[in-house]
Amino acid sequence: LICHSEEVGSVKGVDVKKLTVALAGNANVGKSVVFNQLTGLHQHVGNWPGKTVKRAEGTLSFNGYTIDVVDLPGIYSLSTFSLEERVSREYIALEHPDALINVVDASSLERNLFFTIQLLELEPHLIIGLNQMDMAEKKGIKIDVQKLSQHLDVPVVPMAAVKNKGLKELMEEVIRLHEKDSDPPNSPSYGIEIETVIKEVVEKIKFEFTYPKRWLAIKLLEGDDEIETLCYSMSPELATTIKELRSRVEALHGHDSASVIASERYTKASRIATTVATLTEPETNIWKRVEELTSHPILGYMIMLAVVFSMFYTIFNFGDFFSGVLSSIFDLLKFSYYQTFGAGTIQTFLWEGLIEGVNAGISIALPYIVPFFLTLSILEDTGYLARVAFLMDSLMHKIGLHGKGFIPLMLGFGCNVPACLGCSIMETERERLICAFVSSLVPCAARSIVIMGLVATYVGFEWAVALYLLDFLLIFLLGRIAYKALPGEPVGLIMEMPTYKNPSTKVTLQRTWFKLKSFIFEAFPIMVIGNLGIFLANSLGILSLVEKIFTPVTVWWLGLPAATGVVLIFGVLRKELTLILLASIMGTTNFALILTPVQMFVFAFVVMIYVPCIATIAVLAKEFGSKAAAVISLTEVILAVVLGGILSRFILIFGII
Amino acid sequence: MRLGEKGKVAFIKGGDGSSRRLMDMGLCPGTEFTVVNALPFHGPLEVIVRRTSLVLGRGLAEKVYVEMLYSKEEIEKTSHPVLKSVIK
């Protein structure tokens, strides 16, 4: 964190000067580390207007400037393949940040420069932050920073953001560039044949538009749908010219013009990379060996199982312990509260109606979520999650998702909330939705409590396992149905396999805190309101009415006691509450006295499938809109009820349990 | 292609989306690469391209038509120092 706030406004007595800076770059280049180091705790994450893409923004004070930093999504090109790409190019072209920092991974210069060249075509005030210089050196790559700067005609600042190196220089460069107030650099030129064609298109573009003409010309040749529609609406005669030129390029190079332009860019990137970088023998280290082992066709899976198992084991134990501690603190507080204030209507309302909602969030959700976010952050920063995605790719394809989709599913076992938030790693809206849908069916810690506490304890461990297997089968089938039903083409896996690296403690903690903060701000109010709503409904006697209305479903169809109707409604708040409430309504914790084994199995099944909890619904609504959240919730309720009844009859007819 | 073999992208077949992504990640026509890892059951491949490691789902990989450069045997057998450094 660079912060000289005391200097703000003191320079020559003028007002604070404001700058807007955007960060752009590939994934895995340490862009978010740069962002976190620059803005520290002064940041907020929202969505791009009307999009499900995260927009992280933060501020810092530096040498008399207040600098607003916008972190653009990590992408590899500026086409319209993903929402992220669209958001980024619109931002750069339309909002004109004072400086655009292209964070570049020094150890993978070629691919990064491919993106740099595309950025330059948009003619921004570009600065290259040449990051991970330390990692590159370990790989035996030495880069001539001066030369790189000359080749591209942009300032280049060497950095190692994880170690907080080079960030001050980067900001100084931003200010220098701003004060110099020169024209943006020219974009690099390609081979002579393609340049002639580009020039021809540029001459044909008569209208003025926010995007640079050269960029429009290149995009038209590449066949970018969005730009085509835009340009052809302004000058329809352009369409025939472009078609003609495209076929000329194709005839000349033997590939379609989009491939030709991509090749030209890569040739350029490759040429620059080879002139500025010298390669020596890399340092040998054990990480290389670990990399091979963790993606090995046999050992890789064994290691993954061990890692995932120990992760869950630790999280559950940690969560269980702290959940217990926090619950007893709350119980103590509750006791002294009623001791001090008495148990009148208002006092009861305050505690049961308002504070209990907070209690649920703090003592049930947080103890599991904090270690979850923390371990996830570490696994992500080290580069292990990419291996998991690699290993699980072929299985995940069966439900129409690729390997990366396994990560949210895995998270779902702890809590569906981070799982649904984690779906943003998928590339397209379609993939994200399928992924969130199946994630919301994963038995989270709360559901596991019901399954374990009821079925495993009273019916038998093998029946608990059967429930899990049933759930996995359902996830598989529903995933497949969603995959067939939703329009669009499934997306294959393609990603960089990052080398392992040590995560920075500061960045990991910061990231965990931000995830936690957004969880608290989003989920807590809903938990409190939900709790209040049910409390009021209960005191007004609506709940017993509901119980009666639900009787046909609960008693006749599912074969459960009538009290389960109310219990299942409360369960929307927290699923483990179903068990706790059932005990308190029935007046015993010995469930064998009140439920038959079949009823237990069916009850646990319904709890497992019917609507995700209120916090998950809230996240779904936020990420995908309230309509999608409602559809998912409703589908799951119908599914739970229909299948629960069938299951109940099936078990009774065959007398299995 | 088998493990350890080196090839060159001849052309990419398939929808606009997938060929774009492949090219964006550096697999455009004429690019050389080496297959270093492949998972069973139609699993993804790991290739070294442009000095970095890239993971490729089998579905996407099948869209890439390649020109074989050196087989594994050739890479192992060769004693020519220049050729060796090229294929390495």
Side-chain angles (χ1 to χ4, degrees):
Chain A
L1 178 76
I2 318 164
C3 199
H4 303 283
S5 46
E6 71 279 1
E7 290 174 22
V8 174
S10 66
V11 189
K12 295 179 210 153
V14 267
D15 288 8
V16 183
K17 291 168 281 186
K18 280 196 155 189
L19 282 183
T20 307
V21 168
L23 299 175
N26 290 178
N28 294 317
V29 295
K31 196 164 57 67
S32 58
V33 178
V34 173
F35 179 69
N36 282 327
Q37 295 279 29
L38 285 176
T39 59
L41 299 174
H42 306 278
Q43 49 174 269
H44 60 268
V45 181
N47 274 17
W48 290 88
K51 307 266 166 62
T52 52
V53 180
K54 291 265 164 320
R55 175 186 174 130
E57 215 171 329
T59 45
L60 78 144
S61 300
F62 186 80
N63 290 358
Y65 281 92
T66 299
I67 304 175
D68 202 21
V69 188
V70 178
D71 190 13
L72 296 172
I75 48 175
Y76 294 91
S77 93
L78 291 174
S79 51
T80 44
F81 171 69
S82 66
L83 276 175
E84 278 80 358
E85 292 174 353
R86 199 166 299 189
V87 162
S88 300
R89 75 183 198 187
E90 278 167 12
Y91 176 82
I92 298 166
L94 307 178
E95 295 192 36
H96 299 290
D98 295 301
L100 179 65
I101 299 171
N102 177 203
V103 183
V104 162
D105 177 3
S107 63
S108 144
L109 207 53
E110 237 177 277
R111 181 171 311 137
N112 279 267
L113 288 180
F114 174 77
F115 184 62
T116 308
I117 293 169
Q118 295 188 61
L119 287 177
L120 282 169
E121 282 164 4
L122 280 173
E123 296 169 17
H125 292 279
L126 197 82
I127 297 173
I128 289 181
L130 194 58
N131 197 23
Q132 305 186 345
M133 286 294 274
D134 49 335
M135 299 272 297
E137 232 157 86
K138 278 189 190 146
K139 285 187 192 166
I141 302 167
K142 236 181 103 70
I143 295 169
D144 188 334
V145 176
Q146 210 61 44
K147 232 182 194 171
L148 180 61
S149 169
Q150 280 163 10
H151 269 281
L152 291 165
D153 191 26
V154 294
V156 178
V157 181
M159 307 194 297
V162 174
K163 294 176 183 159
N164 207 356
K165 277 186 192 149
L167 291 154
K168 194 164 159 274
E169 291 76 4
L170 184 70
M171 284 300 111
E172 282 167 358
E173 198 54 58
V174 166
I175 289 167
R176 196 173 308 138
L177 192 75
H178 171 71
E179 288 174 348
K180 209 168 74 183
D181 195 28
S182 55
D183 288 336
N186 289 325
S187 64
S189 50
Y190 302 127
I192 187 104
E193 297 94 349
I194 201 83
E195 279 300 330
T196 332
V197 176
I198 294 171
K199 201 172 274 166
E200 252 177 79
V201 183
V202 169
E203 279 162 11
K204 291 270 157 52
I205 302 175
K206 296 285 190 293
F207 49 87
E208 282 301 321
F209 199 62
T210 33
Y211 292 107
K213 279 187 181 172
R214 183 183 152 83
W215 187 81
L216 288 176
I218 294 171
K219 286 289 146 192
L220 285 173
L221 289 171
E222 282 183 315
D224 187 299
D225 301 341
E226 209 177 276
I227 299 303
E228 273 181 348
T229 335
L230 205 105
C231 289
Y232 296 168
S233 72
M234 291 209 228
S235 76
E237 70 281 0
L238 211 56
T240 37
T241 319
I242 297 297
K243 215 170 165 191
E244 223 176 86
L245 288 171
R246 256 193 240 157
S247 42
R248 200 164 95 201
V249 172
E250 277 167 39
L252 198 64
H253 295 261
H255 294 287
D256 64 295
S257 56
S259 308
V260 173
I261 290 173
S263 298
E264 288 281 342
R265 275 198 195 112
Y266 259 115
T267 312
K268 187 88 199 173
S270 169
R271 198 168 299 154
I272 298 171
T274 38
T275 31
V276 302
T278 34
L279 306 165
T280 49
E281 213 40 49
E283 268 178 42
T284 43
N285 58 16
I286 54 158
W287 289 115
K288 191 82 207 140
R289 189 89 197 101
V290 178
E291 265 158 34
E292 280 168 28
L293 284 176
T294 46
S295 51
H296 188 273
I298 298 156
L299 283 172
Y301 286 101
M302 291 161 74
I303 295 171
M304 183 181 75
L305 276 179
V307 168
V308 172
F309 179 78
S310 49
M311 175 182 156
F312 280 110
Y313 186 79
T314 321
I315 291 167
F316 274 115
N317 275 307
F318 182 92
D320 192 40
F321 174 74
F322 273 95
S323 186
V325 171
L326 290 169
S327 295
S328 35
I329 292 174
F330 261 99
D331 283 344
L332 211 70
L333 280 175
K334 186 178 177 178
F335 179 73
S336 39
Y337 171 84
Y338 282 118
Q339 282 268 302
T340 329
F341 299 106
T345 324
I346 298 165
Q347 289 92 322
T348 316
F349 169 74
L350 282 177
W351 188 274
E352 302 291 336
L354 295 175
I355 298 174
E356 273 300 327
V358 180
N359 175 18
I362 292 178
S363 62
I364 308 289
L366 287 191
Y368 294 97
I369 283 175
V370 173
F372 238 110
F373 284 161
L374 205 62
T375 36
L376 180 73
S377 203
I378 294 170
L379 286 183
E380 196 181 342
D381 290 346
T382 49
Y384 187 67
L385 277 191
R387 263 91 193 162
V388 173
F390 174 63
L391 292 169
M392 294 307 290
D393 186 52
S394 98
L395 189 67
M396 292 302 290
H397 265 292
K398 301 273 187 295
I399 56 169
L401 295 170
H402 62 63
K404 282 197 216 165
F406 183 69
I407 293 160
L409 280 189
M410 193 175 90
L411 290 181
F413 281 95
C415 177
N416 286 177
V417 172
C420 290
L421 287 172
C423 291
S424 58
I425 58 164
M426 306 304 286
E427 286 87 353
T428 63
E429 190 75 12
R430 176 181 180 271
E431 257 68 24
R432 278 175 205 174
L433 193 60
I434 297 179
C435 196
F437 173 52
V438 288
S439 296
S440 73
L441 284 166
V442 172
C444 63
R447 280 173 260 192
S448 288
I449 290 173
V450 178
I451 295 168
M452 288 298 167
L454 204 60
V455 179
T457 317
Y458 294 98
V459 190
F461 189 72
E462 68 277 14
W463 288 100
V465 175
L467 266 179
Y468 280 108
L469 291 179
L470 210 61
D471 197 19
F472 297 153
L473 186 72
L474 215 56
I475 288 174
F476 184 81
L477 291 175
L478 288 173
R480 264 198 99 75
I481 292 170
Y483 154 57
K484 300 268 187 220
L486 281 173
E489 199 189 337
V491 174
L493 177 70
I494 183 164
M495 61 174 187
E496 264 182 276
M497 188 75 114
T499 42
Y500 283 127
K501 47 188 163 233
N502 288 327
S504 140
T505 322
K506 186 183 155 194
V507 174
T508 304
L509 287 177
Q510 260 181 18
R511 201 174 289 178
T512 310
W513 166 242
F514 284 118
K515 280 187 191 155
L516 194 65
K517 203 168 94 180
S518 71
F519 170 74
I520 290 172
F521 279 117
E522 278 150 25
F524 265 58
I526 292 160
M527 282 198 253
V528 174
I529 293 168
N531 185 60
L532 182 67
I534 288 179
F535 173 80
L536 290 177
N538 194 19
S539 21
L540 295 173
I542 298 171
L543 278 189
S544 53
L545 195 72
V546 170
E547 195 179 302
K548 278 204 192 73
I549 296 169
F550 279 167
T551 308
V553 176
T554 47
V555 178
W556 179 78
W557 174 246
L558 292 171
L560 298 171
T564 50
V566 177
V567 166
L568 287 174
I569 291 173
F570 271 101
V572 179
L573 287 186
R574 297 146 54 185
K575 288 207 164 177
E576 73 282 10
L577 206 68
T578 51
L579 202 61
I580 299 160
L581 265 174
L582 196 64
S584 72
I585 291 177
M586 297 297 207
T588 172
T589 51
N590 184 1
F591 293 106
L593 296 175
I594 48 172
L595 294 172
T596 66
V598 180
Q599 284 178 328
M600 288 182 192
F601 190 79
V602 173
F603 180 71
F605 176 81
V606 173
V607 169
M608 187 169 76
I609 306 298
Y610 92 112
V611 304
C613 68
I614 200 147
T616 309
I617 297 176
V619 171
L620 285 174
K622 192 187 141 274
E623 297 284 300
F624 304 97
S626 41
K627 199 180 141 210
V631 169
I632 291 178
S633 308
L634 210 66
T635 312
E636 291 180 6
V637 172
I638 294 170
L639 209 71
V641 172
V642 171
L643 291 179
I646 294 173
L647 205 63
S648 156
R649 278 160 183 71
F650 182 82
I651 296 170
L652 285 173
I653 291 167
F654 289 92
I656 307 173
I657 299 182
Chain B
M1 277 185 87
R2 284 175 297 162
L3 226 57
E5 289 180 338
K6 186 161 180 164
K8 187 173 170 179
V9 180
F11 59 93
I12 297 168
K13 259 213 144 58
D16 245 15
S18 19
S19 61
R20 260 246 78 87
R21 287 175 76 215
L22 285 161
M23 288 193 290
D24 287 345
M25 299 302 279
L27 284 167
C28 33
T31 315
E32 292 180 10
F33 64 91
T34 315
V35 181
V36 290
N37 194 3
L39 292 182
F41 306 113
H42 219 66
L45 304 174
E46 191 183 345
V47 298
I48 300 287
V49 55
R50 301 179 190 276
R51 315 200 122 257
T52 53
S53 160
L54 200 66
V55 166
L56 213 52
R58 202 60 73 101
L60 274 175
E62 277 165 357
K63 295 190 168 124
V64 182
Y65 287 75
V66 296
E67 189 183 310
M68 280 283 293
L69 287 182
Y70 305 100
S71 71
K72 200 178 178 182
E73 289 74 26
E74 274 178 295
I75 293 174
E76 277 162 4
K77 259 191 279 176
T78 184
S79 56
H80 195 287
V82 177
L83 188 60
K84 208 167 196 169
S85 72
V86 169
I87 26 196
K88 193 183 77 183

PDB file of all heavy atoms in Angstrom, chain A residues 420-432:
ATOM      1  N   CYS A 420     -21.756 -20.665  -5.299  1.00  0.00           N
ATOM      2  CA  CYS A 420     -22.461 -19.912  -6.340  1.00  0.00           C
ATOM      3  C   CYS A 420     -21.683 -18.668  -6.749  1.00  0.00           C
ATOM      4  O   CYS A 420     -21.682 -18.283  -7.907  1.00  0.00           O
ATOM      5  CB  CYS A 420     -23.861 -19.542  -5.883  1.00  0.00           C
ATOM      6  SG  CYS A 420     -24.927 -20.988  -5.770  1.00  0.00           S
ATOM      7  N   LEU A 421     -21.001 -18.063  -5.785  1.00  0.00           N
ATOM      8  CA  LEU A 421     -20.174 -16.902  -6.120  1.00  0.00           C
ATOM      9  C   LEU A 421     -19.000 -17.336  -6.988  1.00  0.00           C
ATOM     10  O   LEU A 421     -18.574 -16.636  -7.898  1.00  0.00           O
ATOM     11  CB  LEU A 421     -19.641 -16.238  -4.850  1.00  0.00           C
ATOM     12  CG  LEU A 421     -20.644 -15.456  -4.016  1.00  0.00           C
ATOM     13  CD1 LEU A 421     -20.017 -15.022  -2.700  1.00  0.00           C
ATOM     14  CD2 LEU A 421     -21.138 -14.245  -4.783  1.00  0.00           C
ATOM     15  N   GLY A 422     -18.493 -18.541  -6.707  1.00  0.00           N
ATOM     16  CA  GLY A 422     -17.322 -19.057  -7.426  1.00  0.00           C
ATOM     17  C   GLY A 422     -17.602 -19.422  -8.868  1.00  0.00           C
ATOM     18  O   GLY A 422     -16.673 -19.649  -9.644  1.00  0.00           O
ATOM     19  N   CYS A 423     -18.880 -19.494  -9.244  1.00  0.00           N
ATOM     20  CA  CYS A 423     -19.214 -19.867 -10.619  1.00  0.00           C
ATOM     21  C   CYS A 423     -18.757 -18.832 -11.633  1.00  0.00           C
ATOM     22  O   CYS A 423     -18.783 -19.091 -12.830  1.00  0.00           O
ATOM     23  CB  CYS A 423     -20.714 -20.093 -10.763  1.00  0.00           C
ATOM     24  SG  CYS A 423     -21.234 -21.557  -9.888  1.00  0.00           S
ATOM     25  N   SER A 424     -18.355 -17.671 -11.168  1.00  0.00           N
ATOM     26  CA  SER A 424     -17.902 -16.638 -12.105  1.00  0.00           C
ATOM     27  C   SER A 424     -16.606 -17.038 -12.808  1.00  0.00           C
ATOM     28  O   SER A 424     -16.196 -16.382 -13.752  1.00  0.00           O
ATOM     29  CB  SER A 424     -17.728 -15.310 -11.389  1.00  0.00           C
ATOM     30  OG  SER A 424     -16.813 -15.454 -10.340  1.00  0.00           O
ATOM     31  N   ILE A 425     -15.954 -18.137 -12.379  1.00  0.00           N
ATOM     32  CA  ILE A 425     -14.756 -18.568 -13.110  1.00  0.00           C
ATOM     33  C   ILE A 425     -15.103 -19.198 -14.459  1.00  0.00           C
ATOM     34  O   ILE A 425     -14.227 -19.372 -15.301  1.00  0.00           O
ATOM     35  CB  ILE A 425     -13.884 -19.561 -12.316  1.00  0.00           C
ATOM     36  CG1 ILE A 425     -14.691 -20.795 -11.941  1.00  0.00           C
ATOM     37  CG2 ILE A 425     -13.242 -18.939 -11.116  1.00  0.00           C
ATOM     38  CD1 ILE A 425     -13.815 -21.950 -11.519  1.00  0.00           C
ATOM     39  N   MET A 426     -16.368 -19.535 -14.656  1.00  0.00           N
ATOM     40  CA  MET A 426     -16.748 -20.097 -15.954  1.00  0.00           C
ATOM     41  C   MET A 426     -16.838 -18.958 -16.981  1.00  0.00           C
ATOM     42  O   MET A 426     -17.099 -17.827 -16.627  1.00  0.00           O
ATOM     43  CB  MET A 426     -18.087 -20.821 -15.859  1.00  0.00           C
ATOM     44  CG  MET A 426     -18.143 -21.886 -14.781  1.00  0.00           C
ATOM     45  SD  MET A 426     -16.867 -23.144 -14.913  1.00  0.00           S
ATOM     46  CE  MET A 426     -17.449 -24.091 -16.304  1.00  0.00           C
ATOM     47  N   GLU A 427     -16.639 -19.314 -18.252  1.00  0.00           N
ATOM     48  CA  GLU A 427     -16.500 -18.264 -19.256  1.00  0.00           C
ATOM     49  C   GLU A 427     -17.800 -17.611 -19.693  1.00  0.00           C
ATOM     50  O   GLU A 427     -17.858 -16.416 -19.918  1.00  0.00           O
ATOM     51  CB  GLU A 427     -15.778 -18.790 -20.500  1.00  0.00           C
ATOM     52  CG  GLU A 427     -14.291 -19.004 -20.323  1.00  0.00           C
ATOM     53  CD  GLU A 427     -13.961 -20.363 -19.764  1.00  0.00           C
ATOM     54  OE1 GLU A 427     -14.910 -21.099 -19.394  1.00  0.00           O
ATOM     55  OE2 GLU A 427     -12.781 -20.711 -19.678  1.00  0.00           O
ATOM     56  N   THR A 428     -18.837 -18.414 -19.882  1.00  0.00           N
ATOM     57  CA  THR A 428     -20.057 -17.833 -20.434  1.00  0.00           C
ATOM     58  C   THR A 428     -21.197 -17.860 -19.425  1.00  0.00           C
ATOM     59  O   THR A 428     -21.162 -18.616 -18.461  1.00  0.00           O
ATOM     60  CB  THR A 428     -20.517 -18.582 -21.699  1.00  0.00           C
ATOM     61  OG1 THR A 428     -20.827 -19.923 -21.310  1.00  0.00           O
ATOM     62  CG2 THR A 428     -19.440 -18.612 -22.762  1.00  0.00           C
ATOM     63  N   GLU A 429     -22.190 -17.041 -19.680  1.00  0.00           N
ATOM     64  CA  GLU A 429     -23.357 -16.938 -18.811  1.00  0.00           C
ATOM     65  C   GLU A 429     -24.044 -18.301 -18.673  1.00  0.00           C
ATOM     66  O   GLU A 429     -24.464 -18.684 -17.592  1.00  0.00           O
ATOM     67  CB  GLU A 429     -24.313 -15.915 -19.438  1.00  0.00           C
ATOM     68  CG  GLU A 429     -25.465 -15.500 -18.574  1.00  0.00           C
ATOM     69  CD  GLU A 429     -25.061 -14.551 -17.461  1.00  0.00           C
ATOM     70  OE1 GLU A 429     -23.927 -14.037 -17.506  1.00  0.00           O
ATOM     71  OE2 GLU A 429     -25.874 -14.349 -16.541  1.00  0.00           O
ATOM     72  N   ARG A 430     -24.114 -19.029 -19.763  1.00  0.00           N
ATOM     73  CA  ARG A 430     -24.755 -20.333 -19.778  1.00  0.00           C
ATOM     74  C   ARG A 430     -24.036 -21.291 -18.826  1.00  0.00           C
ATOM     75  O   ARG A 430     -24.638 -21.936 -17.993  1.00  0.00           O
ATOM     76  CB  ARG A 430     -24.707 -20.869 -21.208  1.00  0.00           C
ATOM     77  CG  ARG A 430     -25.234 -22.257 -21.385  1.00  0.00           C
ATOM     78  CD  ARG A 430     -25.094 -22.667 -22.842  1.00  0.00           C
ATOM     79  NE  ARG A 430     -25.602 -24.014 -23.044  1.00  0.00           N
ATOM     80  CZ  ARG A 430     -24.860 -25.100 -22.923  1.00  0.00           C
ATOM     81  NH1 ARG A 430     -23.601 -25.001 -22.604  1.00  0.00           N
ATOM     82  NH2 ARG A 430     -25.391 -26.292 -23.124  1.00  0.00           N
ATOM     83  N   GLU A 431     -22.717 -21.348 -18.957  1.00  0.00           N
ATOM     84  CA  GLU A 431     -21.901 -22.210 -18.109  1.00  0.00           C
ATOM     85  C   GLU A 431     -22.063 -21.830 -16.636  1.00  0.00           C
ATOM     86  O   GLU A 431     -22.135 -22.676 -15.768  1.00  0.00           O
ATOM     87  CB  GLU A 431     -20.432 -22.076 -18.502  1.00  0.00           C
ATOM     88  CG  GLU A 431     -19.885 -23.220 -19.314  1.00  0.00           C
ATOM     89  CD  GLU A 431     -20.468 -23.313 -20.701  1.00  0.00           C
ATOM     90  OE1 GLU A 431     -20.934 -22.278 -21.214  1.00  0.00           O
ATOM     91  OE2 GLU A 431     -20.462 -24.411 -21.276  1.00  0.00           O
ATOM     92  N   ARG A 432     -22.087 -20.537 -16.388  1.00  0.00           N
ATOM     93  CA  ARG A 432     -22.214 -20.053 -15.009  1.00  0.00           C
ATOM     94  C   ARG A 432     -23.523 -20.488 -14.389  1.00  0.00           C
ATOM     95  O   ARG A 432     -23.571 -20.907 -13.242  1.00  0.00           O
ATOM     96  CB  ARG A 432     -22.146 -18.524 -14.990  1.00  0.00           C
ATOM     97  CG  ARG A 432     -20.743 -18.043 -15.023  1.00  0.00           C
ATOM     98  CD  ARG A 432     -20.649 -16.544 -15.128  1.00  0.00           C
ATOM     99  NE  ARG A 432     -19.351 -16.260 -15.737  1.00  0.00           N
ATOM    100  CZ  ARG A 432     -18.934 -15.081 -16.092  1.00  0.00           C
ATOM    101  NH1 ARG A 432     -19.698 -14.040 -15.913  1.00  0.00           N
ATOM    102  NH2 ARG A 432     -17.750 -14.931 -16.623  1.00  0.00           N
TER     103      ARG A 432
END
